[in-house]
Amino acid sequence: MSRNLIRCALAGLTAAVFLFVGPAVRAQDLLVGQVASQTSPVTAANARGMAIGIKTYFDSVNDQGGVSGRSVKLITKDDGLVPGKMVEITKEFIADKNVLVLAGYVNTGGLTELSKANLLGGSGMALVAPLQGDKSIVGAANFFPFRSGYPDEVTALIKEAQSNFKKKAVVVYWNVTFGPAMMQLAQEVSKEVGLNVTAWVPIDAKAQDKFDAVMKQAVDAVVKESPDAVIMLISGRYALEFVKQIKNSAAKTAQLYAMSIVPSGDVVKAVGDAARGMVIAQAVPFPFSPSRPLVSEYQKTMKRYAPDEPLSFATLEGFVAGKITATAPTRHGAHPPRDTVPSSPNPKPARSPAAGLPHPPPPPPSGA
């Protein structure tokens, strides 16, 4: 899993968050349902990137005649990062017989509730490539995760810090979604590998009205420890603000370790060259180099169908999700039943290739 780590800040900018509105739907369309909040500061960037990537692949399929003559459409709904709301919307998708399959869900808490309720297995509906791969969360029937789980990422980050002889580490975590569970895992793994963690700094992500005070308190706690490594179990605007403040503090030389849900493009936008040396786990290959056929296809498709959108890890993951989702129905004619999608049981999570770059790559060409 340590091969999945990418060491650097990556070029590219993430555009302003907007609420993705589903396309006009015709009765003969094949509908794909997605629940992902583009309004929550915790998930907005990844939710938007996933939606763009999926839709871009669907646009390319539809331009070539669709699936057995039927267009594939993505319908995205926002759950506000509320677990119960994700369950409610999913039930609505299940009740709509025009929705063939689900894809690209973002919300660890909601996915956990779906898994516990066995809602997908009981309905015959499949969920492809949720932004989560932990089998304890997406291990129920009809979950088809593309990525490895957050525990793999956190374990790899801690081992990476230990293998680079970090003498004093601090772990920063929040109290929502994956935060508490990953903090407990980090405690176990750091003890197992011998990484010296001198402080565990919590961030109250539920106190959004006190955002500035919460972030200052967390940064002050880290600075007090004078660490040479900081492992971040946070995402969204909290992660970006934390990086920005740390890079302007007395702890600016500490190496930062982040999970894949922290958009590298946003990090570069937030701190520029100061992002050099940051370690970010990734679930997909490097999206800026066409050395792999999949990435080459992704870049060409983005350039044609989403020329104003920057290349990113999130849109590449969405592109892969769209590719998997749209490919399965082609094996079953114009009217594939729900329980045949996807047709390959228990796909293994993907693992990205080794990617260790000492410096950020040059920015991709405009529109690439």
Side-chain angles (χ1 to χ4, degrees):
M1 178 64 188
S2 60
R3 297 188 312 166
N4 284 349
L5 295 174
I6 179 163
R7 185 192 303 272
C8 63
L10 304 173
L13 301 178
T14 299
V17 172
F18 67 95
L19 181 63
F20 181 84
V21 179
V25 173
R26 300 170 299 177
Q28 67 270 31
D29 291 336
L30 294 175
L31 304 185
V32 177
Q34 180 193 29
V35 182
S37 178
Q38 296 183 28
T39 58
S40 168
V42 174
T43 59
N46 288 309
R48 182 177 184 275
M50 287 286 286
I52 290 171
I54 294 172
K55 184 180 181 298
T56 298
Y57 186 80
F58 287 176
D59 286 346
S60 70
V61 170
N62 295 335
D63 202 29
Q64 299 177 53
V67 176
S68 299
R70 301 175 68 185
S71 294
V72 188
K73 302 290 186 181
L74 179 68
I75 307 299
T76 297
K77 295 192 176 184
D78 193 318
D79 65 353
L81 206 62
V82 177
K85 185 66 173 177
M86 173 176 276
V87 172
E88 178 185 327
I89 296 172
T90 301
K91 288 180 178 178
E92 294 173 1
F93 280 144
I94 292 172
D96 185 347
K97 299 305 179 183
N98 293 313
V99 178
L100 176 66
V101 63
L102 309 174
Y105 272 37
V106 182
N107 180 349
T108 295
L111 290 167
T112 301
E113 293 303 312
L114 288 178
S115 181
K116 288 180 178 178
N118 194 31
L119 194 57
L120 303 180
S123 66
M125 181 81 83
L127 171 57
V128 179
L131 197 77
Q132 175 58 260
D134 184 1
K135 284 296 184 181
S136 68
I137 296 174
V138 291
N142 283 17
F143 280 85
F144 294 85
F146 164 73
R147 56 160 56 216
S148 56
Y150 293 162
D152 289 338
E153 294 188 17
V154 173
T155 298
L157 291 171
I158 292 173
K159 290 183 176 179
E160 177 77 1
Q162 192 278 333
S163 67
N164 279 280
F165 307 104
K166 299 302 181 184
K167 296 180 180 180
K168 195 176 185 181
V170 171
V171 174
V172 177
Y173 65 97
W174 59 13
N175 60 341
V176 297
T177 62
F178 58 82
M182 292 305 99
M183 185 273 290
Q184 292 180 14
L185 175 68
Q187 289 179 331
E188 297 170 3
V189 176
S190 60
K191 183 177 181 180
E192 176 185 328
V193 303
L195 179 66
N196 179 33
V197 180
T198 61
W200 303 83
V201 178
I203 290 179
D204 185 3
K206 296 179 181 179
Q208 295 189 23
D209 58 331
K210 300 178 181 178
F211 177 77
D212 293 340
V214 167
M215 296 307 302
K216 183 179 185 304
Q217 183 178 16
V219 171
D220 287 347
V222 172
V223 171
K224 181 180 178 181
E225 296 295 320
S226 300
D228 57 0
V230 180
I231 297 171
M232 301 162 49
L233 307 183
I234 54 178
S235 66
R237 67 167 179 161
Y238 295 87
L240 296 177
E241 182 62 24
F242 178 80
V243 172
K244 186 187 301 183
Q245 291 194 27
I246 282 292
K247 290 299 181 181
N248 286 285
S249 75
K252 63 183 178 181
T253 59
Q255 188 158 36
L256 303 181
Y257 296 78
M259 298 168 65
S260 63
I261 44 181
V262 177
S264 55
D266 282 6
V267 172
V268 172
K269 185 177 180 180
V271 299
D273 286 344
R276 291 179 184 272
M278 188 170 174
V279 179
I280 304 178
Q282 293 299 343
V284 293
F286 192 61
F288 305 103
S289 173
S291 58
R292 289 175 172 266
L294 173 66
V295 180
S296 178
E297 179 188 4
Y298 155 76
Q299 290 188 353
K300 292 176 182 177
T301 306
M302 287 288 290
K303 185 174 183 179
R304 179 170 182 180
Y305 296 99
D308 296 328
E309 298 294 342
L311 302 180
S312 69
F313 287 97
T315 55
L316 175 55
E317 186 166 355
F319 179 84
V320 173
K323 188 177 182 70
I324 296 171
T325 305
T327 298
T330 64
R331 304 187 180 100
H332 302 281
H335 301 282
R338 285 178 172 178
D339 59 6
T340 61
V341 183
S343 58
S344 300
N346 303 320
K348 296 181 179 180
R351 302 265 179 158
S352 68
L357 303 178
H359 300 291
S366 176

